[in-house]
Amino acid sequence: MADHTQPGATEVQAEPPLTSLSHGGGCGCKIAPAVLSRILAQTPSFPAPPDLLVGNETADDAAVYRLNDQQALVATTDFFMPIVDDPRDFGRIAATNAISDVYAMGGQPIMALALVGMPVDKLSPEIIGAILAGGAEVCAAAGIPVAGGHTIDSVEAIYGLVALGLVDPARIRSNAGARPGDLLVLGKPLGVGVLSAALKKGALDRAGYDRMIDTTTRLNTPGPALAQIDGVHAMTDVTGFGLAGHALEVARGSGLALQIDWSSVPLIEGARALVEGGFVTGASGRNWASYRDGVRLGDGISDLDRALLSDPQTSGGLLVACDPEALDAVMGCFHADGFAQAAVIGRAVEGDAGLGIA
């Protein structure tokens, strides 16, 4: 059997590369924000029960349902097509990404269910098993079981999780709670979509691949600790809509203007050079077309910068809005869990809901 771990491998493979079985990979598979809005506009509304504390009103990361005065259930799901050819790495990335939405609400994961769609006429049980094993490995690292799931025979390879967690209702951190004066902290560097585009075209070296795997399989474990900090007012994770898209959701949900200092935004090493070389995902352009009316770009922001701002981040970092006095505690949470590139990238201010980048 071929070695699926080598990016850009040229040897003849006994089975097709995973990425060849999908039209898009990772969070780049997401339906564009504008199209999604049109689809959801046709969905009949249903009166929300009082115990549904977070629904779909602000495009938040997960639903939250109150069980009692001390506990609320955090429920989310995420799945996508392969972003890499190594089956274990694909499983690890997809599981990390799915569990992230629980952390982004301030919750502690408790269990997961696997969602599996595989072309069984093209992939062996061993390859499919390796994908599931990678996901189970990440769940074990998060301290939760894969308690069940569902499988289907599909044309494209699809894997992900339903992730469930618990949170104190008083400690829920949605994407709609930012306050004027809050600082914005980003936990992971940008550039996953760019690196994945290079990988698919055989232009990503081993070091670049390792950097991509390191960031996409790093669980956003600071989430629950961050939610315990009184000065943390809002959280989300930056995924398929890119930094600009998810920051805009925070701005609109909070009714504030967010200002981002582009020079302070961390990038994965090599990402900018790859953008300069033309490695940009199609999802980046679709993202920008969907939310450009809500984003104001400064004169110094180039087209390459814009491509990185809208770059889809598979298993991206937490974006936190916090009181300046809580910054040391916030950074301490990130650094304690190994997020060395966490950085202050902007602030929230009074103004029309929107995003400014300079």
Side-chain angles (χ1 to χ4, degrees), residues 149-177:
H150 184 63
T151 61
I152 62 169
D153 182 1
S154 66
V155 176
E156 296 184 291
I158 298 170
Y159 176 69
L161 300 175
V162 173
L164 301 174
L166 292 175
V167 67
D168 183 336
R171 292 294 173 180
I172 296 168
R173 294 297 182 262
S174 79
N175 66 358

Side-chain angles (χ1 to χ4, degrees), residues 67-239:
L67 302 176
N68 51 56
D69 289 343
Q70 289 78 42
Q71 293 178 312
L73 179 69
V74 183
T76 183
T77 185
D78 212 314
F79 52 88
F80 47 61
M81 291 165 282
I83 188 174
V84 295
D85 290 325
D86 182 279
R88 173 175 166 269
D89 284 347
F90 171 39
R92 292 168 66 211
I93 294 168
T96 305
N97 179 74
I99 297 170
S100 179
D101 286 339
V102 175
Y103 290 132
M105 302 302 298
Q108 186 65 48
I110 55 172
M111 72 173 184
L113 305 173
L115 301 173
V116 186
M118 293 289 157
V120 295
D121 61 330
K122 296 182 177 67
L123 295 177
S124 70
E126 290 74 21
I127 292 296
I128 298 172
I131 294 170
L132 272 62
E137 178 184 330
V138 163
C139 288
I144 62 173
V146 180
H150 184 63
T151 61
I152 62 169
D153 182 1
S154 66
V155 176
E156 296 184 291
I158 298 170
Y159 176 69
L161 300 175
V162 173
L164 301 174
L166 292 175
V167 67
D168 183 336
R171 292 294 173 180
I172 296 168
R173 294 297 182 262
S174 79
N175 66 358
R179 301 178 187 179
D182 277 355
L183 297 177
L184 305 176
V185 180
L186 180 63
K188 291 185 183 181
L190 303 182
V192 174
V194 171
L195 270 66
S196 69
L199 175 66
K200 198 160 187 177
K201 295 181 180 179
L204 188 68
D205 61 18
R206 185 73 217 190
Y209 182 81
D210 289 344
R211 286 191 288 269
M212 185 176 78
I213 297 302
D214 177 70
T215 189
T216 54
T217 60
R218 186 178 295 275
L219 286 161
N220 278 321
T221 49
L226 289 166
Q228 295 299 314
I229 301 172
D230 290 337
V232 169
H233 301 138
M235 282 198 297
T236 190
D237 59 347
V238 177
T239 54

Side-chain angles (χ1 to χ4, degrees), residues 14-27:
E15 298 182 58
L18 291 179
T19 53
S20 73
L21 301 176
S22 60
H23 71 278
C27 286

Side-chain angles (χ1 to χ4, degrees), residues 3 13 15 39 44 66 92 99 115 137 143 152 161 169 195 232 235 269 272 290 308 321 334 339 350 357:
D3 179 0
Q13 300 198 29
E15 298 182 58
I39 294 171
R66 179 168 43 212
R92 292 168 66 211
I99 297 170
L115 301 173
E137 178 184 330
I152 62 169
L161 300 175
L195 270 66
V232 169
M235 282 198 297
E269 182 182 344
R272 186 166 187 87
S290 295
L308 285 163
F334 277 118
F339 290 78
E350 294 277 9
I357 302 167

Side-chain angles (χ1 to χ4, degrees), residues 305-325:
D305 297 327
R306 190 186 70 193
L308 285 163
L309 282 161
S310 57
D311 186 53
Q313 301 304 292
T314 300
S315 191
L318 295 176
L319 179 63
V320 180
C322 69
D323 188 289
E325 293 186 358

